[in-house]
Amino acid sequence: MTTTAATAPAPPRQASRPGSVMWVIKNFIGVVLGCRAYLTGTIAFLLAAAIAIVVNFSVQYPGGVILAIPVLMMPIVQHNVRLMIQRAIMAVVATLVTYLITAAFPQQPWMLMCVTLFMIVVGLYLIVHGLDLLGWMICIAVPVLTLWASTSGAPVGRSLFENFNRLMIGLFSAEVIAILLLRSTSEVILRAKMADLFESLGQAMLLPPEERVKSNLPTWTTATSDEHEALLRKIRTLYGRRSVVACNLYRTSCGLRLLLGGTSVWKIQYVTPWKNPWIQTMGEWPEHVRHLTAVQLQEIADAIRDRRDARAVPGLDETMARTAELAEQSIRESADEIPLQDSASLAHQVMMIQIIIDILRETRHWTGLTPSHDSTWMPVPRADQGGQRSLLRIGLDLFKTPDRWALLFALKGGLVGAIGFIIASVYNWWGGVTVLLLMSLFLSALNMGAVTTGFVMRMVGLVGALLVTLVAMLVVIPIIDDPWSFTAMFVICVAPGAIAMQVPQMAAVGLSWAMSMMFTLTGMVRPLADLTPLQERFVSVTGATLLAWLVFLIVKPVFARDRINDAVSLCLRQLAKMSELVKRPPDQASTMVEAEARIKAYNALSETSSLFRDATFEQDEPLDFVKRNKPIMESLQDLFLIQRNLLRGHAAAYQAAADDQAMEALVAGASARAQAFEILADSLGTPNEQVRACIQRSSDAAESFEEELKRVLSNPPGTEVRLLPLISLQIALQLLQQYLESLAVALHQRQTILDQTSPVTVAGSMKV
């Protein structure tokens, strides 16, 4: 049969490209249809908005745009009584300071403008590092609106009084409802997630080594750590940075990350089947230690759920000590008939279980509500390294050693605010200027990911809200004449946006939808079928969205490749620093240096992963883009884990008084790898003979180390010298060499791709 145009099968429909208009619309509709999963947050938002609308009608204030800000921020920020009081105090202080400045300089409103712009820049810089977003918006909104009112000729005292009252209405409506209905579940969620991971590790521990590697073993990923860190930030906000709950959960999370890092190494290490000489010597002891370790993991999981200190499993330490002793005896006795690679695999497995048990011994004291201290040997980062630095110290760093990406983000946000104020001053007779002024600041603080993607999402939400509001203005409002019916109509109209705000991926669409609705409808003192407010609010919100997008896109644009290059370079330099630690004796100081390098490398990995996701939205072939960048992320993550594992083995070998010549070969290889990491950080994929030379020296050092191990095993020292930690390092060295070579290749391939593609612009902040 001849195929014709009429009978030929239709070509398959291509999926919408992530970040496109159709992709945003499809995902937005899907989120709205699946609203049952987000009912609690949606109901709380709608109830707070309804209360604010009713109160606004009751007090009959004209305008009322500032009233919407606390309600709009409700799904984004944390809520409790302490934060509510803190935000109310900030509103009072902002009002008093604004009044004092305007009273001291009644004929010079530019003075308030200078102070406000300074607050905008400093506030945006601190927001990147954890400043309360709603508190900053409160401190900015009051002086900004007062400044506009003073330049427009309105009485400053009356403007301040009305804005303060509107702000209190919105603040207490949102905060009280959030405290009553959105009781923080961050601690419950984090404890459940950590307990599940401990439980899964315990189940996997019962399996033989060769089956454990093939099982669905939980491993360390940047996504898991990001999730934990986000929950920990919420817990610190709710309970305080120094509270027992926050500190213990942070330490437990650090211990869990170390455990997951060990299981990740299991996934990629060489595992040899157990040999007969090992079975004859060790007997059932490995089974016993695996069983007791699994019991301890389950006990810790139960203790985390119950908020109590975990109990020690009797006999675990003694069983582990006997197993390690028999493993060393077996390796010594079978050195002539078992290849070195197999002996190293056995040693590595035993040492990994020993490290796991040591971590569990420390973690037992952190699962409950008893005040505890950091580990003396396990590298738990200090508070200032773990994202808990005080805002005062961060603010001082702004004037000493600022974070250049965060500073650039803050300066751009300040420029957006300045331009918005100039426009508002020129068109002070226009009814939409207050919305334009506040929205320009609001959107600068909430600039998310790839700039164009955020713009598309906000425009989709804005246009959708415009159409719904237009129908409501023409059809519904003319037939209602009381605030209760008007509030019911408003709740129905704003509901799609409220649902989307509960989903992080669609939050920009939902926020644009909700704020367009609220800025349009909360400005009415009574139900009125008038299209003028709709026109003014739509133009002002569109203008503010366009203004923020253009400033971030045009003024000193930040490209994803530059941010990724910086993050990858930072990660490589931290790997080099960790490699250099092999040269020094393992003590408390080197442990903390390792902790600092670990947390910095984690932050760099996390940021790189986030940037990859953001930049993917703006690629013509996003799946291909991810595929090409995936080897870099995997190599960096695995190198980080293996290097950390090597340091733990090096510390054990040093304490065991290992062979000096073998340790010298280990140090030589570490020096070569550190130099290779530094050169890779500088070149980032550019062909470099120095990199090849360093990688070759690292390979030669690994071979020398292997020869030294063979020499040691052929003529083993007395039993007072433990060989197990030294031999186990062979596996880590092989893996480091393998992944170092693959990383160099992946970086070169990525650089070739970058030379052929156009850059992608992203926001200038690191965490916003």
Side-chain angles (χ1 to χ4, degrees):
M1 179 179 178
T2 303
T3 302
T4 64
T7 60
R13 297 181 60 184
Q14 295 185 350
S16 301
R17 182 177 67 86
S20 65
V21 175
M22 290 307 300
W23 180 86
V24 173
I25 293 175
K26 288 180 180 178
N27 282 270
F28 176 65
I29 294 175
V31 167
V32 173
L33 294 178
C35 62
R36 294 184 62 182
Y38 320 107
L39 277 181
T40 303
T42 303
I43 292 173
F45 178 86
L46 295 177
L47 185 57
I51 293 174
I53 291 284
V54 171
V55 175
N56 186 57
F57 278 124
S58 301
V59 297
Q60 301 237 331
Y61 280 132
V65 172
I66 197 173
L67 174 146
I69 291 179
V71 180
L72 289 170
M73 300 296 294
M74 187 176 171
I76 301 174
V77 298
Q78 296 297 302
H79 305 276
N80 62 11
V81 176
R82 179 178 62 85
L83 286 173
M84 180 179 67
I85 297 174
Q86 174 182 309
R87 289 161 184 164
I89 294 174
M90 293 175 76
V92 172
V93 172
T95 303
L96 291 177
V97 170
T98 301
Y99 179 77
L100 291 176
I101 293 177
T102 53
F105 304 95
Q107 304 301 323
Q108 297 172 323
W110 56 267
M111 180 62 71
L112 181 58
M113 178 181 177
C114 293
V115 174
T116 304
L117 288 177
F118 177 78
M119 291 172 58
I120 290 172
V121 174
V122 175
L124 285 173
Y125 184 88
L126 294 178
I127 283 173
V128 176
H129 296 281
L131 177 68
D132 179 31
L133 183 57
L134 178 54
W136 176 82
M137 286 299 301
I138 289 172
C139 290
I140 293 300
V142 173
V144 163
L145 292 181
T146 304
L147 177 62
W148 171 78
S150 64
T151 56
S152 303
V156 173
R158 180 179 178 182
S159 175
L160 267 176
F161 177 76
E162 291 180 351
N163 285 329
F164 178 78
N165 284 342
R166 296 188 197 106
L167 184 58
M168 289 297 102
I169 291 171
L171 179 64
F172 285 109
S173 298
E175 292 292 324
V176 171
I177 295 300
I179 292 171
L180 294 177
L181 298 184
L182 299 180
R183 297 183 65 85
S184 176
T185 58
S186 300
E187 182 187 356
V188 177
I189 294 173
L190 180 59
R191 286 185 177 276
K193 289 182 178 295
M194 291 196 297
D196 290 343
L197 289 171
F198 274 106
E199 198 168 39
S200 299
L201 287 173
Q203 295 171 357
M205 189 61 66
L206 295 174
L207 301 174
E210 57 273 13
E211 295 183 20
R212 186 190 309 139
V213 174
K214 300 176 183 178
S215 66
N216 188 22
L217 189 66
T219 55
W220 185 91
T221 63
T222 54
T224 301
S225 289
D226 284 347
E227 190 176 29
H228 284 199
E229 197 62 38
L231 290 169
L232 285 168
R233 281 196 295 269
K234 294 179 180 179
I235 291 170
R236 293 184 195 116
T237 302
L238 290 169
Y239 294 104
R241 298 176 183 272
R242 307 291 182 181
S243 64
V244 174
V245 174
C247 291
N248 281 1
L249 286 175
Y250 173 68
R251 296 183 182 113
T252 304
S253 179
C254 288
L256 178 58
R257 293 178 200 180
L258 290 174
L259 286 176
L260 294 180
T263 60
S264 298
V265 175
W266 269 341
K267 283 282 190 180
I268 57 180
Q269 77 171 57
Y270 170 79
V271 177
T272 182
W274 281 64
K275 311 297 183 181
N276 286 330
W278 300 346
I279 298 175
Q280 293 174 2
T281 303
M282 302 180 70
E284 298 296 325
W285 284 97
E287 296 292 335
H288 294 332
V289 75
R290 287 208 308 268
H291 173 73
L292 291 177
T293 305
V295 173
Q296 183 68 81
L297 285 163
Q298 183 61 54
E299 163 61 19
I300 290 178
D302 295 338
I304 290 173
R305 292 191 182 97
D306 299 338
R307 303 181 78 194
R308 60 174 175 82
D309 292 344
R311 295 181 290 269
V313 173
L316 176 58
D317 292 336
E318 294 79 3
T319 305
M320 182 67 243
R322 180 57 178 164
T323 301
E325 178 184 338
L326 292 174
E328 177 140 354
Q329 177 185 340
S330 178
I331 290 176
R332 288 172 178 267
E333 293 175 351
S334 60
D336 296 334
E337 54 183 308
I338 302 296
L340 175 61
Q341 181 77 358
D342 293 343
S343 297
S345 175
L346 172 63
H348 193 263
Q349 293 175 46
V350 175
M351 289 303 300
M352 286 298 300
I353 296 178
Q354 177 68 68
I355 291 174
I356 287 175
I357 292 175
D358 292 341
I359 294 173
L360 295 180
R361 188 184 306 113
E362 299 288 342
T363 307
R364 286 192 291 106
H365 307 292
W366 301 332
T367 56
L369 302 178
T370 304
S372 58
H373 300 284
D374 290 337
S375 169
T376 56
W377 71 269
M378 193 171 72
V380 174
R382 292 189 297 267
D384 59 339
Q385 297 166 355
Q388 302 184 63
R389 298 173 63 204
S390 68
L391 293 177
L392 178 60
R393 289 188 58 185
I394 296 172
L396 293 176
D397 288 345
L398 171 61
F399 304 99
K400 296 179 181 178
T401 55
D403 175 355
R404 68 188 185 102
W405 295 120
L407 179 59
L408 180 59
F409 170 78
L411 291 175
K412 286 185 178 181
L415 179 60
V416 172
I419 296 174
F421 179 76
I422 293 172
I423 295 174
S425 299
V426 174
Y427 298 97
N428 56 11
W429 48 267
W430 181 50
V433 289
T434 55
V435 174
L436 175 67
L437 192 54
L438 287 180
M439 283 302 303
S440 61
L441 299 172
F442 195 48
L443 291 178
S444 295
L446 295 176
N447 205 306
M448 53 173 291
V451 173
T452 302
T453 300
F455 176 73
V456 171
M457 287 184 167
R458 292 187 178 106
M459 290 308 297
V460 168
L462 179 60
V463 173
L466 168 68
L467 297 176
V468 173
T469 307
L470 183 61
V471 172
M473 286 282 193
L474 297 176
V475 178
V476 182
I477 290 183
I479 62 176
I480 61 177
D481 58 357
D482 63 278
W484 304 105
S485 302
F486 180 85
T487 303
M489 178 212 69
F490 169 80
V491 167
I492 295 172
C493 292
V494 82
I499 295 170
M501 288 178 70
Q502 314 304 318
V503 184
Q505 293 80 1
M506 289 288 108
V509 185
L511 182 61
S512 183
W513 181 297
M515 70 185 178
S516 179
M517 287 273 186
M518 293 200 69
F519 284 160
T520 300
L521 300 178
T522 57
M524 298 182 179
V525 295
R526 62 183 184 278
L528 182 63
D530 185 4
L531 295 182
T532 302
L534 176 62
Q535 176 188 359
E536 293 174 346
R537 300 306 192 264
F538 174 75
V539 173
S540 57
V541 173
T542 304
T545 304
L546 188 63
L547 174 61
W549 176 61
L550 288 176
V551 168
F552 278 88
L553 191 66
I554 296 175
V555 179
K556 197 172 176 54
V558 177
F559 299 116
R561 62 182 61 187
D562 297 333
R563 295 285 307 282
I564 291 173
N565 285 345
D566 278 5
V568 172
S569 294
L570 175 60
C571 193
L572 289 170
R573 296 189 196 282
Q574 298 310 314
L575 285 170
K577 184 182 294 186
M578 294 173 73
S579 298
E580 292 286 350
L581 290 176
V582 176
K583 298 180 181 180
R584 57 190 292 181
D587 52 16
Q588 185 66 21
S590 63
T591 297
M592 295 317 301
V593 171
E594 179 195 346
E596 181 180 358
R598 173 163 60 89
I599 200 68
K600 288 183 178 179
Y602 154 70
N603 289 335
L605 282 171
S606 175
E607 183 185 1
T608 304
S609 177
S610 175
L611 288 166
F612 278 155
R613 288 194 301 268
D614 291 339
T616 299
F617 285 153
E618 305 203 12
Q619 300 297 312
D620 293 331
E621 299 176 351
L623 295 180
D624 190 42
F625 179 81
V626 173
K627 188 187 302 182
R628 291 171 179 176
N629 283 288
K630 189 177 180 181
I632 298 176
M633 287 299 300
E634 291 180 344
S635 296
L636 285 173
Q637 179 171 298
D638 290 336
L639 277 168
F640 167 64
L641 295 172
I642 300 165
Q643 182 65 55
R644 195 177 65 196
N645 187 49
L646 176 67
L647 287 174
R648 300 269 60 78
H650 167 257
Y654 185 88
Q655 294 172 357
D659 185 82
D660 292 339
Q661 296 180 10
M663 295 298 285
E664 289 177 3
L666 183 67
V667 170
S671 299
R673 283 191 303 277
Q675 189 176 0
F677 286 134
E678 288 286 357
I679 297 173
L680 279 174
D682 293 332
S683 62
L684 285 178
T686 303
N688 195 313
E689 290 297 330
Q690 289 181 304
V691 175
R692 299 188 184 96
C694 290
I695 293 177
Q696 184 59 48
R697 288 204 306 272
S698 175
S699 178
D700 295 341
E703 293 178 0
S704 299
F705 182 76
E706 184 175 347
E707 293 299 323
E708 293 297 333
L709 288 184
K710 291 179 180 178
R711 176 186 60 79
V712 171
L713 287 176
S714 64
N715 187 20
T719 54
E720 69 277 1
V721 178
R722 292 182 61 207
L723 298 181
L724 208 63
L726 182 65
I727 298 173
S728 68
L729 296 176
Q730 173 67 11
I731 297 295
L733 286 177
Q734 288 182 349
L735 292 174
L736 276 175
Q737 188 66 28
Q738 173 187 342
Y739 279 92
L740 177 58
E741 295 173 359
S742 65
L743 176 63
V745 173
L747 285 172
H748 176 63
Q749 292 176 345
R750 173 179 173 270
Q751 186 60 44
T752 303
I753 296 169
L754 290 180
D755 294 338
Q756 302 171 356
T757 56
S758 58
V760 176
T761 307
V762 295
S765 67
M766 294 182 64
K767 299 177 182 178
V768 174

